[in-house]
Amino acid sequence: MTSATSRPAAGETPSPRPGPRPKPAPPTGAPVRVTGAQSLVRSLEAVGCEVVFGIPGGTILPAYDPLLDSTKVRHVLVRHEQGAGHAATGYAQATGRVGVCMATSGPGATNLVTPLADANMDSVPVVAITGQQTRPLIGTDAFQEADICGITMPITKHNFLVTDPADIPRAIAEAFHLAATGRPGPVLVDIPKDVLQEMTSFSWPPELRLPGYRPTTRPHGKQVREAAKLIATARRPVLYVGGGVIKADASAQLLELAESTGIPVVTTLMARGAFPDSHPQHLGMPGMHGTVAAVAAMQKADLLVALGARFDDRVTGQLSTFAPDAQVVHADIDPAEISKNRRADVPIVGDCKEIITELVDAVKAEKDNATREVDLAPWWAQIDSWRETFPLGYDWPDDGTLSPQYVIERIGALTPPDAVFTAGVGQHQMWAAQFVKYERPRSWINSGGLGTMGYAVPAAMGAKAGVPQSQVWAIDGDGCFQMTNQELATCAIEGLPIKVAVINNGNLGMVRQWQTLFYGERYSNTDLGTHKHRIPDFKLLAEALGCAGLRAESREEVDAVIQQAMEINDRPVVIDFVVGKDAQVWPMVAAGTGNSEIMAARGIRPLFDEDDV
């Protein structure tokens, strides 16, 4: 894998600390005397941490002194702790390794709450290290004191308050282990200032003490065989693929399962890229803004094989009406997800890579022993009819303004095949999921479960730190962009030349769409003023933050400005795409309705009849 500090692509700004990817330190032998802060930095080096996104402050300051001397850990000084957290997530999503962020106590730590909740919802391996008030002052409402362990308990996989400096190596080793194994997730390590200052002994590796933590990775063979029987006899099966397939690095195994069975595949918002968009068996994204073929196939299926997916409400619509005739095989590494929303006929707990590998063999054995193989041709004929009748598309605005879908489609078409895309939440996110073609895993990074505005820019910053050889694009909305664009200054100074496409429609687009459809076009507080008053002027703002600022307002300008952005690699680039204000995301399943009521345009109409299959 490529290091955050390895040599960048030709023409790009070199990383401040070039060098090979650091490897975990070997056992240190006899303990050495160090401060708690030195023990922390040595522990980070030993677990292979490459980059830390953070901001120093009073209680974490002792840790920053030895960090200055580290030749293995790069620190990226962000402009807001929220940016540090999202950057750690972007790094983790792009690389598959643990992302790390650091903050001081009180407001510094609480500013990490949103990124930690985001990482928790999307199962992203992140370790957050926070300073805490000295041990005698804990619980006294001291200056910049906050019970960050209590605050984050519902939104982290685990957290630690380290009260003995001798425990620092073990806490860091356990935090990284917990974050990366089983169902990945965020872990917080809170360390009081006096613990960082106290002398202690450091030795590596520490003994992990995690009683009861034994994630199941190997699936139960009987359950796999039961699933294979259902797959071999189903007439209308669908492979329902979630983000867990990407987390398990199981895309190759998924491709083998799909091609060996001939079953159609849908990939959720978190699984875009897990299965190639160009593959003829791929139906696209299911759910609220999924393709009609994907939504209809799931609704009409007689078998859903859910792989690393959690039957999220944005996929199922009204749960009681979702896929009424389907039996369910549910495979997930987290036993708590099995039958949480939809009862599983065959539950399989384990790592997706191991499950799919065993499923391939089990299905082959079933087919070899079958006297007659099920013909999926009628099912594919129906699916192809839906694909032909209801393809993804868009109309150009009647007033002659620029189409946002066209902008995103052209970005996807012109960027190199190894490009990575990030997005926040809203219309731009859905269009990026729909109109960019994803052929490989970890090329699409977004805030899926929590739906966090302001995610795209810092996530792109983290992704670029993790995969510096790849072109990284943040596709953002003008509302989201105004929440965290200060991290562009970080990118400019740290040599992280990301590209940012601001889809500037002058308003909070998805909220306005709902106001159009469900609130009688009463546009209460959704006009941002970026159209009418050009406040802020994104081109000038970009330049003020050390970036190149570009703008496109017509169809004729789009390709040229994208090419211009791709030729600038010595600093970040921001393109202000001024687009129409009334473009809407279609198809759409309105919240609270069933997937059979999917809208292709204004007005609810069923897109398929009960006797279609």
Side-chain angles (χ1 to χ4, degrees):
M1 286 190 171
T2 305
S3 162
T5 56
S6 61
R7 190 169 180 265
E12 296 197 353
T13 301
S15 171
R17 292 181 181 168
R21 177 186 173 189
K23 296 179 180 178
T28 57
V32 294
R33 296 294 289 175
V34 295
T35 65
Q38 290 171 322
S39 179
L40 171 63
V41 173
R42 288 187 178 211
S43 298
L44 290 174
E45 292 174 342
V47 294
C49 173
E50 299 176 339
V51 59
V52 173
F53 303 91
I55 305 179
T59 60
I60 197 67
L61 198 56
Y64 271 80
D65 186 63
L67 191 59
L68 184 66
D69 298 323
S70 177
T71 59
K72 296 180 179 179
V73 180
R74 173 186 180 185
H75 183 272
V76 173
L77 178 60
V78 298
R79 298 305 182 262
H80 192 288
E81 290 88 359
Q82 183 179 350
H86 291 321
T89 299
Y91 173 91
Q93 293 281 61
T95 65
R97 301 193 288 272
V98 176
V100 184
C101 54
M102 190 179 289
T104 195
S105 61
T110 59
N111 279 343
L112 291 176
V113 168
T114 294
L116 289 173
D118 183 276
N120 191 58
M121 288 284 277
D122 289 345
S123 304
V124 183
V126 167
V127 169
I129 299 166
T130 53
Q132 182 54 274
Q133 261 295 353
T134 58
R135 285 168 291 185
L137 290 178
I138 292 176
T140 68
D141 292 332
F143 177 66
Q144 288 192 335
E145 182 194 356
D147 178 12
I148 196 62
C149 285
I151 290 168
T152 61
M153 189 174 291
I155 57 168
T156 53
K157 188 175 178 180
H158 192 66
N159 59 39
F160 301 85
L161 174 60
V162 182
T163 57
D164 184 341
D167 291 336
I168 288 174
R170 180 168 57 84
I172 294 300
E174 289 178 353
F176 273 71
H177 178 71
L178 287 166
T181 58
R183 179 179 185 170
V187 179
L188 181 134
V189 182
D190 195 32
I191 312 177
K193 183 175 184 178
D194 57 333
V195 172
L196 291 169
Q197 293 171 319
E198 193 172 300
M199 296 300 295
T200 185
S201 294
F202 173 82
S203 63
W204 194 270
E207 178 190 355
L208 302 188
R209 301 174 193 167
L210 296 169
Y213 181 71
R214 296 192 240 348
T216 300
T217 57
R218 186 77 185 269
H220 194 290
K222 181 178 183 296
Q223 299 302 88
V224 172
R225 291 190 295 273
E226 289 299 315
K229 289 177 184 177
L230 292 181
I231 291 171
T233 56
R235 296 184 178 279
R236 300 187 305 277
V238 173
L239 295 179
Y240 162 29
V241 177
V245 169
I246 294 177
K247 300 295 191 302
D249 292 322
S251 293
Q253 290 74 20
L254 171 65
L255 182 64
E256 184 179 4
L257 176 64
E259 291 186 337
S260 66
T261 59
I263 297 176
V265 179
V266 302
T267 53
T268 67
L269 182 66
M270 293 305 299
R272 303 290 289 112
F275 192 78
D277 276 356
S278 59
H279 198 285
Q281 286 174 241
H282 191 232
L283 308 187
M285 182 174 70
M288 177 174 276
H289 294 295
T291 66
V292 171
V295 173
M298 294 183 79
Q299 198 67 4
K300 290 295 187 178
D302 65 358
L303 177 66
L304 292 178
V305 182
L307 303 169
R310 58 188 179 89
F311 290 87
D312 175 71
D313 65 288
R314 284 307 192 254
V315 169
T316 66
Q318 188 178 54
L319 190 61
S320 61
T321 65
F322 174 66
D325 300 323
Q327 289 185 287
V328 171
V329 173
H330 192 177
D332 202 283
I333 198 161
D334 185 356
E337 287 297 340
I338 306 291
S339 296
K340 183 178 79 175
N341 295 325
R342 172 68 177 261
R343 188 185 72 82
D345 296 281
V346 178
I348 310 176
V349 177
D351 178 81
C352 267
K353 181 182 284 189
E354 296 201 30
I355 291 171
I356 299 171
T357 298
E358 294 196 17
L359 260 181
V360 169
D361 294 335
V363 171
K364 183 178 184 300
E366 281 294 323
K367 289 186 174 183
D368 288 344
N369 295 329
T371 57
R372 184 178 171 189
E373 190 170 340
V374 174
D375 182 11
L376 295 183
W379 180 224
W380 273 109
Q382 175 62 79
I383 288 170
D384 288 339
S385 173
W386 287 324
R387 287 206 278 203
E388 184 178 344
T389 307
F390 303 106
L392 268 181
Y394 54 90
D395 296 321
W396 276 80
D398 293 333
D399 60 2
T401 52
L402 184 57
S403 161
Q405 298 98 321
Y406 176 77
V407 168
I408 293 170
E409 188 175 55
R410 294 308 298 159
I411 292 172
L414 294 173
T415 47
D418 69 337
V420 174
F421 297 88
T422 71
V425 65
Q427 288 183 317
H428 70 277
Q429 174 195 29
M430 293 297 105
W431 288 324
Q434 291 176 334
F435 294 107
V436 176
K437 301 303 179 187
Y438 301 99
E439 299 296 317
R440 58 184 184 82
R442 304 194 185 282
S443 57
W444 164 245
I445 299 170
N446 79 123
S447 175
L450 197 65
T452 306
M453 292 182 72
Y455 177 89
V457 169
M461 174 173 68
K464 187 65 176 175
V467 288
Q469 78 286 357
S470 295
Q471 200 172 103
V472 178
W473 282 80
I475 297 179
D476 219 354
D478 47 338
C480 287
F481 181 67
Q482 291 186 76
M483 291 197 170
T484 53
N485 61 41
Q486 68 271 15
E487 298 307 337
L488 287 170
T490 308
C491 292
I493 289 172
E494 292 284 342
L496 299 168
I498 65 172
K499 324 286 185 189
V500 183
V502 182
I503 308 302
N504 178 6
N505 60 11
N507 57 74
L508 299 171
M510 190 62 88
V511 184
R512 181 183 172 92
Q513 176 166 335
W514 283 54
Q515 288 173 333
T516 299
L517 297 174
F518 309 120
Y519 291 88
E521 301 184 9
R522 289 167 54 83
Y523 300 118
S524 173
N525 292 284
T526 45
D527 187 337
L528 291 169
T530 53
H531 265 198
K532 189 186 304 180
H533 307 293
R534 199 161 276 180
I535 300 176
D537 184 315
F538 292 134
K539 185 174 180 292
L540 296 179
L541 178 64
E543 292 168 359
L545 290 169
C547 308
L550 308 173
R551 178 174 289 124
E553 300 185 65
S554 69
R555 179 173 187 160
E556 293 70 31
E557 296 173 299
V558 170
D559 281 16
V561 80
I562 294 171
Q563 293 286 5
Q564 186 180 353
M566 291 195 295
E567 291 166 5
I568 300 172
N569 291 304
D570 61 344
R571 60 197 187 282
V573 182
V574 176
I575 311 174
D576 179 14
F577 287 105
V578 183
V579 301
K581 65 180 181 180
D582 283 315
Q584 298 190 342
V585 183
W586 303 109
M588 179 178 180
V589 178
T593 66
N595 283 352
S596 296
E597 298 176 274
I598 186 170
M599 294 186 284
R602 279 205 200 190
I604 298 176
R605 52 166 295 205
L607 294 183
F608 45 90
D609 299 322
E610 291 303 316
D611 58 356
D612 275 347
V613 178

